[in-house]
Amino acid sequence: MVDHAGNKRVVVSMLAELAEAAPGEVRGVLARHCHPEVEWEVFHPFNSLRGIDDAAARFWGPLRTAFPDYEQRLGLVIGGSYEGRNMVSTLGNLMGTLAGPWLGIPATHALTFLRFGTNAILRDGKIAKMYILLDIVDVMRQAGWYPLRAMPGSGEQWPLPPCTGTSDAHEHDATRGADTLRIIREMQSGLASGEELKDLAATNSKHSPHWHENMNWYGPAGIGSSRGQRGFLDYHGALFINAFPDRGGFPRDPAGPETQPGHYIQAGDGRFGVTGGWPSLHGTHTGGAWLGVPPTGRHINMRVADWYRTDTHDKLIDNWVMMDIPHILDQMGLDILDDLRYRTDPTLPRWPR
């Protein structure tokens, strides 16, 4: 029998120890909790990292240097198995003082929140692979370097789950979790097309019977958050469909490799669930309403993960969404981090670039 609670504690312990470690101690923490050949997939611009040394040098060490006093504040810790892999998912904030530059974002010397999610594959009690999902654009916003048009939704920090329903590292509720995941998958399988969404908006109808009337949809910086089914349609759904009218998911071969497009994770734990793909969505960018970028005509792949909470009536009431916005924009031809460096570092050559 899989010890999902034990796997959850492995991931939580590593994240907590990394928050306490000095930059020079990061490698030792990773070595205690990860396989030597551990793989990392991190939101753009980090992308693929291989092994402990690579991750320590290129991601965890610089992060610790930029946020020397950070703590990992977790709101969700979900355990489960999918396609034969034992997985743990976390969602919360890395919060601390941005005391040094990070990814070209200048230091603010002020409290800064980095929305931070992980989906880890565990083998023999150690982490074999970890997906890391970050809201880099929101850090740019907090530092005064927001790169996009005004968000249609709210840009405020996401609330974490109420204390009466938190999924933590001490328990694993597979029975309740299976029901939660069933509800999530039924909702996802019945997502409306663009024309159907237009009809729903025109008639002020519900776009899925699985959603609570006062659902909360927490979107990344660039999109923002909204409340209620009509709020979701107005501030995200309609804009997204206008930009990607042919948007869709990837069919997944359960016997295929874990690295194929489509959901690499589907897990339920108590009243919480998570799904994610690398990528999980794709579409042709033919409209310019979403993020304010003019239509490019390019086919875009989207790395996305969704975390959900159901209420006591089995309605989906919270949906936290991480999208790799810098990666999406890069495919559209906009490198927001290069633009940032041009604005903040006058020593860089201006021509040619």
Side-chain angles (χ1 to χ4, degrees):
M1 185 173 180
V2 178
D3 183 7
H4 289 298
N7 284 340
K8 290 162 72 169
R9 288 191 290 272
V10 170
V11 174
V12 170
S13 295
M14 186 186 79
L15 294 175
E17 289 176 30
L18 286 168
E20 295 292 332
E25 299 171 339
V26 165
R27 189 195 180 285
V29 173
L30 297 178
R32 282 196 295 276
H33 297 284
C34 300
H35 288 276
E37 68 280 10
V38 60
E39 300 177 49
W40 312 83
E41 297 292 349
V42 190
F43 272 4
H44 188 76
F46 299 100
N47 300 302
S48 297
L49 307 174
R50 294 295 177 263
I52 290 171
D53 290 337
D54 196 24
R58 294 173 53 193
F59 179 72
W60 292 107
L63 184 69
R64 197 74 186 87
T65 299
F67 294 88
D69 61 355
Y70 87 70
E71 64 175 288
Q72 195 85 49
R73 186 70 64 89
L74 298 178
L76 291 174
V77 186
I78 297 169
S81 298
Y82 183 58
E83 297 180 340
R85 297 180 298 276
N86 298 321
M87 304 197 70
V88 172
S89 180
T90 72
L91 179 68
N93 284 308
L94 182 154
M95 51 186 289
T97 305
L98 183 56
W102 185 64
L103 295 176
I105 305 169
T108 63
H109 305 287
L111 175 62
T112 303
F113 296 87
L114 172 60
R115 294 168 184 153
F116 199 105
T118 70
N119 291 319
I121 299 171
L122 287 95
R123 191 172 62 243
D124 300 325
K126 287 197 170 187
I127 297 167
K129 184 170 186 176
M130 178 173 277
Y131 294 84
I132 299 177
L133 308 100
L134 313 164
D135 197 338
I136 292 167
V137 177
D138 191 55
V139 176
M140 297 173 70
R141 178 192 66 82
Q142 294 172 73
W145 297 98
Y146 181 66
L148 301 169
R149 65 100 191 262
M151 278 179 267
S154 169
E156 297 302 316
Q157 287 305 317
W158 297 348
L160 295 176
C163 61
T164 54
T166 300
S167 174
D168 61 27
H170 301 291
E171 299 178 355
H172 178 257
D173 186 346
T175 302
R176 176 69 255 174
D179 288 338
T180 300
L181 186 59
R182 174 186 55 78
I183 293 166
I184 292 168
R185 293 300 296 140
E186 286 180 2
M187 178 276 296
Q188 291 177 336
S189 298
L191 285 174
S193 67
E195 289 303 315
E196 289 169 336
L197 278 179
K198 290 180 183 178
D199 293 340
L200 290 173
T203 59
N204 201 25
S205 301
K206 297 180 179 181
H207 73 280
S208 169
H210 295 292
W211 289 106
H212 190 283
E213 179 183 6
N214 295 321
M215 61 173 280
N216 301 294
W217 192 88
Y218 308 111
I223 303 172
S225 301
S226 55
R227 183 169 173 85
Q229 298 197 31
R230 183 57 188 262
F232 167 80
L233 290 173
D234 285 348
Y235 295 114
H236 173 61
L239 301 175
F240 187 66
I241 287 296
N242 282 332
F244 302 97
D246 63 346
R247 70 94 169 92
F250 290 93
R252 179 93 175 181
D253 178 4
E258 174 263 324
T259 54
Q260 66 184 304
H263 283 169
Y264 64 83
I265 184 171
Q266 293 182 11
D269 191 348
R271 292 200 173 274
F272 296 88
V274 58
T275 64
W278 200 271
S280 61
L281 292 175
H282 64 98
T284 308
H285 183 220
T286 57
W290 192 68
L291 301 182
V293 179
T296 64
R298 299 180 179 182
H299 198 76
I300 307 298
N301 290 328
M302 306 174 204
R303 303 163 174 172
V304 185
D306 288 79
W307 291 263
Y308 300 90
R309 179 176 74 92
T310 59
D311 69 0
T312 54
H313 301 289
D314 291 338
K315 293 290 187 179
L316 294 167
I317 191 167
D318 287 321
N319 182 192
W320 299 266
V321 184
M322 292 286 256
M323 301 182 74
D324 195 344
I325 299 295
H327 183 248
I328 291 170
L329 292 170
D330 191 63
Q331 293 173 80
M332 294 176 178
L334 176 58
D335 186 339
I336 56 172
L337 295 175
D338 183 70
D339 286 353
L340 174 67
R341 287 187 289 270
Y342 182 84
R343 297 165 66 193
T344 60
D345 188 352
T347 66
L348 290 176
R350 263 40 186 173
W351 183 266
R353 285 177 60 79

